Amino acid sequence: MSAFAAAYAIPTAPRAEPKKKVLLVDDSATTHMWIKMILSKTAYELISARDGEEGVRTALAERPDLILMDVVMPRMNGFEATRALRERNELRDTPIIMVTTRSEAKNVEEGYESGCSDYITKPIDGIELVAKVRDFIGE
């Protein structure tokens, strides 16, 4: 580029990195509202599904960077949905954090056996949730 062309070149804005997608799979409108409020202060794009079946379909279509998965849901529970996602090569390594009221040891154990990456109990601590999401997928 000549000195003249360089002097009059229109600067281009740096390309913004696409937002990382977080899929929330939960049948509770309250949980959706709460997590949306927590993640609205971050750089993540929140997408959602209302049950395990819809969660699996949405994950396959959207390819989220991380999944927040409830356990007790209609049609397909979170353990079943997590196992179904782990069977898919394209989602096998996607972090899945169980977010549930089920804090009993047998439920935590079943969560990890089904393939979850981490486990958070409700009520959700926003600082803990954001820290765990960042640990798995960064900013």
Side-chain angles (χ1 to χ4, degrees):
M1 181 180 292
S2 71
F4 178 80
Y8 292 97
I10 298 172
T12 57
R15 288 185 177 225
E17 290 291 319
K19 288 184 172 187
K20 292 186 178 175
K21 290 182 191 176
V22 175
L23 170 60
L24 171 60
V25 184
D26 198 305
D27 61 326
S28 165
T30 303
T31 300
H32 276 265
M33 183 181 67
W34 181 239
I35 290 179
K36 183 177 183 178
M37 191 169 54
I38 292 167
L39 293 183
S40 70
K41 296 173 176 43
T42 68
Y44 306 115
E45 175 187 353
L46 183 65
I47 53 179
S48 62
R50 299 288 177 178
D51 61 54
E53 283 183 11
E54 183 183 351
V56 171
R57 282 194 314 273
T58 303
L60 289 168
E62 294 285 340
R63 303 288 172 88
D65 298 288
L66 180 135
I67 300 169
L68 301 173
M69 180 77 70
D70 186 21
V71 171
V72 180
M73 295 180 287
R75 300 193 314 161
M76 179 187 280
N77 71 38
F79 301 137
E80 295 165 335
T82 298
R83 281 191 286 275
L85 292 167
R86 291 300 184 224
E87 290 173 0
R88 302 300 299 243
N89 286 334
E90 61 268 45
L91 296 167
R92 184 168 288 140
D93 297 326
T94 302
I96 300 174
I97 302 174
M98 292 285 182
V99 182
T100 181
T101 58
R102 302 293 178 142
S103 60
E104 302 86 5
K106 69 179 183 131
N107 287 305
V108 174
E109 185 178 331
E110 186 173 356
Y112 283 107
E113 286 174 357
S114 69
C116 81
S117 311
D118 210 334
Y119 203 100
I120 298 175
T121 56
K122 296 175 185 176
I124 300 163
D125 177 316
I127 293 170
E128 177 189 20
L129 177 67
V130 171
K132 286 183 182 282
V133 170
R134 284 186 178 142
D135 284 347
F136 280 107
I137 63 172
E139 283 295 322

